[in-house]
Amino acid sequence: MTPAPHLAARPRLSDFVRPRTLFAALDGAPTFVLPMFALVVAALVYTTVAGRIAFPMIAPAMLSQATVTESELRSSFQLMLVVGSSILPIVLTFLLGAVTWILLRLVGGSRPYSCITSLVAWSSLWITLGLLAKTALAWITRLPDPPLNLSFLSDDLSPGWHAIFALTNPFVILAVIWTVWGLREWGVVAWRRWIAGPLPWLAMTAAIGTLSAGGVRLTPSEPVDTSDYSTYDIEPITFRCPPQAKKQEGETIAKITSGVVQGMAEKLGFTARPITVVAFPDHSSLERATGEFLHVQVVGSIRGKSLLYVEMPGTSAAVPSTTGLREIMRWALIMELAPNQSDAPRWWVHGLAHARVYPPSPELESAYQSILARRGIPSYENVLDPQLFLTPDGPLLARALVDHLAFFYGIDAVEAIAKDLASGETFRDALYAHTRLTTSALEAGWQDHARTLLEIERESSGEAAAPEDTGASDRPRVVVEPIPPDEMPSEDGAPVPPGSGN
């Protein structure tokens, strides 16, 4: 006998836009390979993009509990995402198919398990499209987990409300509709298809919403109201801070930051641009204002050509008051240097700014050695990665590379490169003119010095290396002199006016 026409056809991807043709084809030739493959690919794409965004946010906490370098940790993290994205969609599809088949049997319906699983797999193509939409949102917003449901309407949700809002995902709703539609085309009675079709999808979605609500928060809260902030203008800095901050504190921060910026501008021969610095009362407020999840030791975020968001010094146990003030100055210097250093790489600007506000010390040398121990020998490509500077390691590695140039080729060479860049010269040409180095040669020398530091650390048998062992105290100052001690905060953390002493 000749088989019925609908039994002879095999489902094709193009049939997805012709549901009745698709369901008829699945009835005669159940298959789930193609849609399951598409779902796995979409999951891999999303986790790759989201993982790159999320890793700098979670790396510090992971590294504090790990005994491996950051490169090894990153590799393990990426491997975990790849394995999970490859296996989890397949497992969930078969599980969803099995639950749907069991429910249908319990309510008196009967379809082969292969048909039900194929129907669920093809309905999951809507989930595939949802993952691609989520990937696009993550890329645009730089948030690893942007919502596709109505949960964005409220930030403070309990796990139960997360589960309810998860059901508003339009791609899940479309997957439910496709499953119920297919059961109807196969002759399943209305009340039976409305039990067996939606319930597995909705239960799984609610469960995922509940579980994700209990995880680590990777998105910020609502914006911060700054309408009542105090303002202090000391050219070129306009400093705004919360009303609970003391007037003397706000004026001192503005005065010190302005002096540092003007000093650098005079040294390199450019005109400082006006900058508005907005200081928020704590780290969580800074995160909400920036819309970013920031490492606890990252207390600044550039919001445009002339706007800088920072955390008020002395409000975080992780960042001492003196360090917080230095960080405000460092970020302000970065904003001034970046447009005046021609095509200089990011590390150059961050390194110069760091060297201006942090004098050489055994503590800095120890912190650098700790980075080398965790990350391994750095590469030039590492310090070109913008994501590196979302962690505390970025500025220190940049500083180490600038200090390497100053130590082996002299402060005059570093100053000359900076002045050439300010006059419009390219970085590679300026670097070669004053050091006869290419970037490859610079990388090789820096890596050799890093290996030497690691060897000294190992030879110390776990004891802290003395300053004379590493040369930290003998390294030349880059570009400008250290900030005078009487222009820094007092020991109790309160800033004092310049000239009044500590």
Side-chain angles (χ1 to χ4, degrees):
M1 292 180 63
T2 302
H6 74 279
L7 296 179
R10 295 189 63 84
R12 296 172 297 179
L13 191 59
S14 58
D15 291 336
F16 185 64
V17 297
R18 297 176 295 179
R20 289 180 176 172
T21 302
L22 173 64
F23 301 142
L26 290 176
D27 190 22
T31 179
F32 44 76
V33 175
L34 185 59
M36 200 172 292
F37 175 76
L39 182 61
V40 169
V41 170
L44 285 170
V45 171
Y46 168 66
T47 54
T48 298
V49 172
R52 289 176 180 174
I53 299 171
F55 185 77
M57 303 176 182
I58 63 177
M62 297 171 68
L63 284 169
S64 66
Q65 302 175 10
T67 57
V68 298
T69 64
E70 182 170 343
S71 59
E72 293 173 317
L73 185 62
R74 184 184 291 273
S75 297
S76 300
F77 181 68
Q78 291 172 339
L79 179 61
M80 178 188 69
L81 292 179
V82 170
V83 172
S85 301
S86 302
I87 296 176
L88 194 58
I90 297 174
V91 172
L92 287 178
T93 300
F94 280 110
L95 178 62
L96 209 58
V99 173
T100 303
W101 178 74
I102 292 171
L103 274 177
L104 188 60
R105 294 293 296 269
L106 289 176
V107 296
S110 179
R111 295 297 302 175
Y113 173 69
S114 59
C115 287
I116 297 298
T117 301
S118 298
L119 176 60
V120 169
W122 282 87
S123 298
S124 71
L125 281 176
W126 286 112
I127 307 302
T128 299
L129 295 176
L131 285 172
L132 295 178
K134 199 176 183 73
T135 303
L137 282 176
W139 182 268
I140 294 170
T141 63
R142 307 309 297 170
L143 297 176
D145 187 25
L148 289 179
N149 53 60
L150 296 181
S151 62
F152 69 88
L153 295 175
S154 179
D155 180 68
D156 188 18
L157 294 176
S158 66
W161 277 109
H162 269 283
I164 293 173
F165 275 111
L167 302 180
T168 64
N169 187 320
F171 297 97
V172 172
I173 294 173
L174 287 168
V176 168
I177 292 173
W178 242 242
T179 304
V180 173
W181 194 346
L183 293 175
R184 187 188 70 174
E185 291 296 315
W186 292 346
V188 177
V189 177
W191 69 275
R192 290 172 178 164
R193 64 175 178 261
W194 280 106
I195 292 177
L199 286 183
W201 281 107
L202 299 180
M204 181 188 70
T205 303
I208 293 175
T210 302
L211 291 174
S212 63
V216 177
R217 181 174 177 80
L218 294 178
T219 54
S221 305
E222 70 278 359
V224 179
D225 181 15
T226 61
S227 59
D228 60 345
Y229 276 31
S230 304
T231 302
Y232 304 95
D233 284 305
I234 300 180
E235 191 177 351
I237 300 298
T238 297
F239 184 73
R240 302 188 64 213
C241 59
Q244 60 264 36
K246 296 179 180 178
K247 179 181 178 181
Q248 182 187 29
E249 189 177 13
E251 287 179 337
T252 301
I253 293 174
K255 184 180 296 184
I256 294 176
T257 305
S258 177
V260 171
V261 167
Q262 292 284 25
M264 179 68 83
E266 292 173 5
K267 185 70 175 179
L268 299 184
F270 65 84
T271 302
R273 300 180 302 114
I275 294 176
T276 297
V277 181
V278 182
F280 294 92
D282 50 45
H283 194 75
S284 61
S285 298
L286 174 63
E287 289 182 330
R288 289 180 5 233
T290 60
E292 299 173 344
F293 188 96
L294 302 173
H295 186 282
V296 68
Q297 292 179 316
V298 175
V299 295
S301 177
I302 296 174
R303 311 311 299 170
K305 293 182 179 179
S306 59
L307 180 61
L308 172 65
Y309 284 178
V310 298
E311 181 180 332
M312 197 69 186
T315 59
S316 171
V319 182
S321 179
T322 302
T323 303
L325 177 54
R326 291 186 189 276
E327 283 297 289
I328 291 176
M329 293 184 287
R330 185 178 71 83
W331 282 103
L333 282 176
I334 289 170
M335 293 185 67
E336 293 288 356
L337 285 169
N340 290 287
Q341 288 294 284
S342 185
D343 69 339
R346 187 183 300 264
W347 66 262
W348 173 262
V349 173
H350 278 263
L352 287 182
H354 194 282
R356 170 62 181 96
V357 300
Y358 287 97
S361 67
E363 291 76 19
L364 277 182
E365 192 74 14
S366 177
Y368 177 49
Q369 289 178 329
S370 175
I371 293 174
L372 295 180
R374 286 189 285 105
R375 288 177 172 268
I377 302 300
S379 69
Y380 190 78
E381 184 179 355
N382 292 152
V383 290
L384 296 179
D385 183 4
Q387 297 298 317
L388 176 67
F389 295 92
L390 297 178
T391 72
D393 291 355
L396 272 176
L397 285 174
R399 161 68 177 274
L401 190 46
V402 171
D403 273 0
H404 173 79
L405 278 174
F407 186 67
F408 289 99
Y409 299 92
I411 295 176
D412 291 342
V414 174
E415 291 185 2
I417 293 171
K419 290 178 180 178
D420 283 358
L421 291 171
S423 66
E425 186 65 82
T426 65
F427 177 75
R428 290 177 182 271
D429 289 345
L431 176 67
Y432 188 79
H434 299 288
T435 65
R436 288 298 182 264
L437 288 175
T438 63
T439 53
S440 297
L442 173 62
E443 176 185 44
W446 183 39
Q447 290 179 331
D448 286 344
H449 191 228
R451 291 189 185 93
T452 301
L453 288 178
L454 282 178
E455 290 173 3
I456 293 174
E457 179 67 16
R458 295 189 185 101
E459 290 173 359
S460 67
S461 301
E463 298 179 358
E468 60 269 23
D469 292 336
T470 63
S473 60
D474 298 327
R475 291 190 179 185
R477 189 65 200 162
V478 178
V479 180
V480 289
E481 293 302 315
I483 300 169
D486 62 356
E487 294 186 6
M488 292 304 298
S490 59
E491 292 301 323
D492 62 5
V496 295
S500 63
N502 287 333

